[in-house]
Amino acid sequence: DTEVTQTPKHLVMGMTNKKSLKCEQHMGHRAMYWYKQKAKKPPELMFVYSYEKLSINESVPSRFSPECPNSSLLNLHLHALQPEDSALYLCASSQEEGSSYNEQFFGPGTRLTVL
Amino acid sequence: TQLLEQSPQFLSIQEGENLTVYCNSSSVFSSLQWYRQEPGEGPVLLVTVVTGGEVKKLKRLTFQFGDARKDSSLHITAAQPGDTGLYLCPGGGADGLTFGKGTHLIIQP
């Protein structure tokens, strides 16, 4: 099983809403990632979790709050977002963070629209 | 910070033609992945190259890693509309993946 799943596929929310994005993998990977991708741009790294601990936060605003409940699950909690936060949010996983092989497997993404 | 440049940024060609896209960096990568991403979907891993000079083939796609592990190329033979997408070649290192801007490829029927 080389699949990373993400829910929901699409999300529309107002600026005062609180919502969560979910990501799951059952490959036994110990590193999980959140990326943000705007149209026609490459993915931008937001957060990295390694062995369920936050290891990298790329200066992401606090209205984005990641959570790793266990080694298979990764959440991204959203609160008080701005319209410019509308984007495709991608989750990825790899065997370990920073390993020389470092293959990351991506989920299908959540298309987020903030009104 | 490792910088990675991809070229061309945009390429539109007719079905059946051959093409090559490139990844270049001034830094050495321990590995390099090639991904294809279709609009609204996540990137799909095509191949990983690790050894300098390595060549890997995936049907009509040929991937090469430079001898110094600073660059890579992807050659597509007889391109088909299904090859359309954003091609990404992030390089791997201790800090994770470094993404370039990608190559937007359109294969017209």
Side-chain angles (χ1 to χ4, degrees), chain B residues 62-73:
Chain B
T62 302
F63 305 86
Q64 184 160 7
F65 202 15
D67 291 341
R69 306 207 317 275
K70 294 182 179 182
D71 56 270
S72 182
S73 63

Side-chain angles (χ1 to χ4, degrees), chain A residues 45-97:
Chain A
L45 183 65
M46 300 174 71
F47 301 104
V48 181
Y49 271 82
S50 180
Y51 288 85
E52 300 162 48
K53 295 190 186 307
L54 183 64
S55 67
I56 293 178
N57 176 340
E58 292 286 357
S59 302
V60 179
S62 61
R63 56 186 184 269
F64 295 91
S65 175
E67 178 197 18
C68 190
N70 60 57
S71 60
S72 299
L73 294 174
L74 186 65
N75 298 322
L76 185 62
H77 303 297
L78 314 172
H79 174 54
L81 295 194
Q82 304 296 310
E84 59 264 29
D85 295 322
S86 299
L88 182 68
Y89 288 83
L90 295 164
C91 174
S93 70
S94 66
Q95 281 192 327
E96 297 205 355
E97 180 194 1

Side-chain angles (χ1 to χ4, degrees), chain A residues 2-115:
Chain A
T2 58
E3 190 178 24
V4 176
T5 59
Q6 290 187 242
T7 55
K9 179 74 171 173
H10 301 277
L11 178 62
V12 179
M13 60 186 291
M15 289 189 284
T16 58
N17 292 158
K18 285 186 180 181
K19 297 288 185 183
S20 297
L21 309 184
K22 297 185 182 300
C23 174
E24 190 167 4
Q25 58 87 17
H26 294 288
M27 294 178 277
H29 288 173
R30 303 316 299 266
M32 297 185 76
Y33 310 78
W34 279 116
Y35 290 86
K36 173 183 178 180
Q37 186 177 28
K38 302 286 273 185
K40 299 193 183 301
K41 301 290 186 182
E44 296 176 22
L45 183 65
M46 300 174 71
F47 301 104
V48 181
Y49 271 82
S50 180
Y51 288 85
E52 300 162 48
K53 295 190 186 307
L54 183 64
S55 67
I56 293 178
N57 176 340
E58 292 286 357
S59 302
V60 179
S62 61
R63 56 186 184 269
F64 295 91
S65 175
E67 178 197 18
C68 190
N70 60 57
S71 60
S72 299
L73 294 174
L74 186 65
N75 298 322
L76 185 62
H77 303 297
L78 314 172
H79 174 54
L81 295 194
Q82 304 296 310
E84 59 264 29
D85 295 322
S86 299
L88 182 68
Y89 288 83
L90 295 164
C91 174
S93 70
S94 66
Q95 281 192 327
E96 297 205 355
E97 180 194 1
S99 66
S100 59
Y101 213 57
N102 213 348
E103 288 181 322
Q104 290 189 19
F105 293 88
F106 286 82
T110 293
R111 171 66 62 189
L112 174 67
T113 302
V114 182
L115 301 176

Side-chain angles (χ1 to χ4, degrees), chain B residues 19-33:
Chain B
L19 66 110
T20 303
V21 298
Y22 301 91
C23 276
N24 291 287
S25 172
S26 57
S27 303
V28 175
F29 289 107
S30 55
S31 68
L32 191 143
Q33 285 81 40

